[in-house]
Amino acid sequence: MSNHEIGHCMNDFLENILEMYDHGELSRDAVHKIVRFTLNVVGGADGNEYEALENMTRTRCACCLKEYTSIDEIVTCENANDVMRKHGVKSGWSWWHDILDEKDFSGESVCKKCFKEQMASGVDEAAVQEVLEHCAEPRDFY
């Protein structure tokens, strides 16, 4: 049985870390390191990483840390997965996390710009365009 409390507590912790980033108290690289460390702690305590990332998923790009506005469209692995699989990218969450891990990022959503620039490395351009046109959802959806 998973430990839900650790994930929810760390979600609050990461919310404070992001506020510090907004106020210039932490660099983007420091935030990425803290997020990755936090997810390791959550996993080590038998918690759920997605619970620790709930606020960040709804409010921030996992790559550039841009705070989403209400009109921004975001891409999640869940939304992009069918298109990526159709274009020969391995299914499941692994393609998403492999790319983020390679870049030392962590998260469940990205802005459209970062999807194209960061997440689509080595992916067929047709797949990228299809994801951007059909899978990006308004941030308010989350």
Side-chain angles (χ1 to χ4, degrees):
M1 185 168 202
S2 65
N3 178 352
H4 296 285
E5 288 180 23
I6 188 74
H8 294 299
C9 288
M10 294 312 259
N11 181 51
D12 293 340
F13 170 76
L14 287 178
E15 191 171 344
N16 287 310
I17 293 299
L18 292 169
E19 284 179 23
M20 292 174 72
Y21 170 75
D22 288 340
H23 294 288
E25 298 172 50
L26 293 169
S27 70
R28 187 171 69 186
D29 287 343
V31 172
H32 283 299
K33 288 177 185 175
I34 292 167
V35 170
R36 291 182 71 79
F37 177 73
T38 300
L39 296 179
N40 288 336
V41 169
V42 169
D46 198 26
N48 298 312
E49 292 180 1
Y50 73 89
E51 290 173 336
L53 291 170
E54 282 183 68
N55 178 61
M56 190 171 164
T57 298
R58 290 190 316 271
T59 63
R60 303 285 173 146
C61 174
C63 299
C64 69
L65 299 180
K66 172 187 176 252
E67 189 168 11
Y68 300 133
T69 67
S70 61
I71 61 169
D72 283 332
E73 291 184 325
I74 64 176
V75 177
T76 65
C77 177
E78 185 175 3
N79 291 352
N81 208 28
D82 287 341
V83 170
M84 298 300 270
R85 185 174 47 240
K86 181 174 94 176
H87 287 273
V89 176
K90 57 186 168 184
S91 63
W93 293 92
S94 60
W95 68 272
W96 181 276
H97 292 290
D98 288 350
I99 293 169
L100 288 178
D101 287 348
E102 179 183 303
K103 299 172 183 299
D104 287 331
F105 301 151
S106 296
E108 303 299 333
S109 71
V110 295
C111 66
K112 287 174 80 172
K113 179 181 179 202
C114 284
F115 183 81
K116 187 170 184 164
E117 293 176 359
Q118 304 284 341
M119 301 297 291
S121 57
V123 176
D124 178 47
E125 182 63 28
V128 173
Q129 283 308 115
E130 190 172 344
V131 167
L132 294 176
E133 290 173 15
H134 302 292
C135 299
E137 301 245 355
R139 183 200 80 75
D140 284 344
F141 180 79
Y142 295 93

